[in-house]
């Protein structure tokens, strides 16, 4: 069973549905979200949580510190929270503007802080090679597991994404040892 605590951008809501908790804490500070996550983890025995996405949080006030440093403080703080609570945390982040449409991103393209790269146990990039899609069109999405601390990695995976159903289907996976054709659900 997946327990989910997320920072979303829809309407303000806190719901418990099928043992999943979805919280919309928009316009809150990092410290507020961290405290709420800590509360929900302990109260509802949550084992995994997601923050969507890091740069939407108001970072800690640190005197004259630049944004990259402040984003790094949040990244390190969330990693510390996951370790202390023995939970899995997933932090979503944007690419910086240096990534062009259709270009494979790299770790240098993580927005605002190299600290995100240092704190992450794994980094997964998703991107499309086509600029625009029709709303009902199946999108071809590339995945790349760029970092996997202490584990195996695969170089690239190609999927179809059905936006209407929020559903991915794997087509092909390129691993360190060659190509494995997929066709199964992720």
């Amino acid at each position: 069973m997946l327990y989910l605590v997320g920072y979303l951008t829809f309407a303000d809501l806190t719901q418990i549905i099928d043992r999943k908790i979805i919280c919309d804490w928009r316009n809150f500070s990092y410290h507020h979200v961290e405290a709420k996550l800590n509360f929900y983890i302990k109260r509802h025995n949550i084992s995994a949580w997601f923050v969507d996405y890091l740069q939407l949080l108001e970072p800690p006030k640190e005197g004259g510190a630049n944004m990259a440093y402040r984003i790094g403080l949040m990244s390190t703080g969330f990693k510390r929270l996951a370790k202390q609570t023995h939970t899995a945390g997933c932090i979503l982040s944007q690419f910086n503007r240096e990534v062009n449409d259709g270009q494979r991103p790299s770790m240098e393209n993580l927005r605002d802080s190299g600290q995100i790269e240092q704190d992450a146990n794994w980094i997964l990039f998703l991107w499309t090679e086509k600029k625009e899609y029709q709303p009902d069109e199946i999108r071809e999405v590339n995945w790349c597991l760029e970092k996997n601390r202490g584990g195996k990695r695969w170089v690239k995976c190609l999927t179809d994404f059905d936006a209407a159903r929020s559903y991915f289907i794997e087509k092909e996976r390129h691993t360190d040892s060659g190509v494995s054709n997929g066709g199964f659900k992720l």
Side-chain angles (χ1 to χ4, degrees):
M1 212 176 279
L2 172 69
Y3 299 86
L4 168 70
V5 173
Y7 179 91
L8 306 173
T9 57
F10 306 121
D12 288 325
L13 72 125
T14 301
Q15 298 179 16
I16 302 177
I17 303 170
D18 296 329
R19 307 279 300 156
K20 295 176 181 73
I21 300 172
I22 302 172
C23 303
D24 181 1
W25 300 320
R26 66 181 163 173
N27 300 327
F28 283 113
S29 71
Y30 157 75
H31 292 298
H32 180 87
V33 172
E34 181 187 40
K36 288 285 192 180
L37 277 171
N38 211 348
F39 170 79
Y40 279 110
I41 288 166
K42 290 175 181 168
R43 180 151 192 201
H44 298 288
N45 197 27
I46 291 169
S47 58
W49 47 270
F50 297 79
V51 173
D52 178 16
Y53 65 90
L54 185 63
Q55 286 83 358
L56 286 179
L57 293 175
E58 180 186 318
K61 305 276 189 252
E62 289 294 321
N66 65 22
M67 185 56 82
Y69 178 78
R70 294 166 58 200
I71 294 289
L73 288 176
M74 293 191 299
S75 173
T76 302
F78 281 130
K79 179 163 183 145
R80 183 176 43 252
L81 174 68
K83 280 185 163 190
Q84 289 172 348
T85 59
H86 306 288
T87 58
C90 181
I91 309 297
L92 303 179
S93 178
Q94 257 188 336
F95 298 133
N96 60 29
R97 301 205 186 275
E98 296 169 10
V99 178
N100 297 320
D101 287 330
Q103 176 186 349
R104 180 180 173 162
S106 65
M107 286 198 252
E108 292 82 34
N109 298 125
L110 290 173
R111 185 172 176 191
D112 291 328
S113 178
Q115 190 65 42
I116 297 169
E117 177 187 345
Q118 291 177 8
D119 290 335
N121 288 335
W122 51 267
I123 296 174
L124 178 69
F125 291 136
L126 281 75
W127 77 98
T128 61
E129 293 181 357
K130 187 176 167 184
K131 269 188 173 183
E132 295 181 23
Y133 288 89
Q134 296 300 320
D136 59 343
E137 185 179 1
I138 301 293
R139 295 160 168 84
E140 198 168 76
V141 178
N142 294 287
W143 298 54
C144 178
L145 184 59
E146 193 71 20
K147 178 179 179 180
N148 187 7
R149 183 176 288 151
K152 293 182 179 179
R153 68 183 193 99
W154 37 268
V155 179
K156 186 178 173 187
C157 177
L158 184 61
T159 63
D160 282 336
F161 176 66
D162 182 347
R165 298 185 308 155
S166 296
Y167 190 74
F168 287 95
I169 297 177
E170 183 175 355
K171 292 168 62 173
E172 186 175 282
R173 184 184 305 191
H174 298 264
T175 66
D176 288 337
S177 59
V179 176
S180 164
N181 287 332
F184 55 89
K185 299 174 205 170
L186 290 175

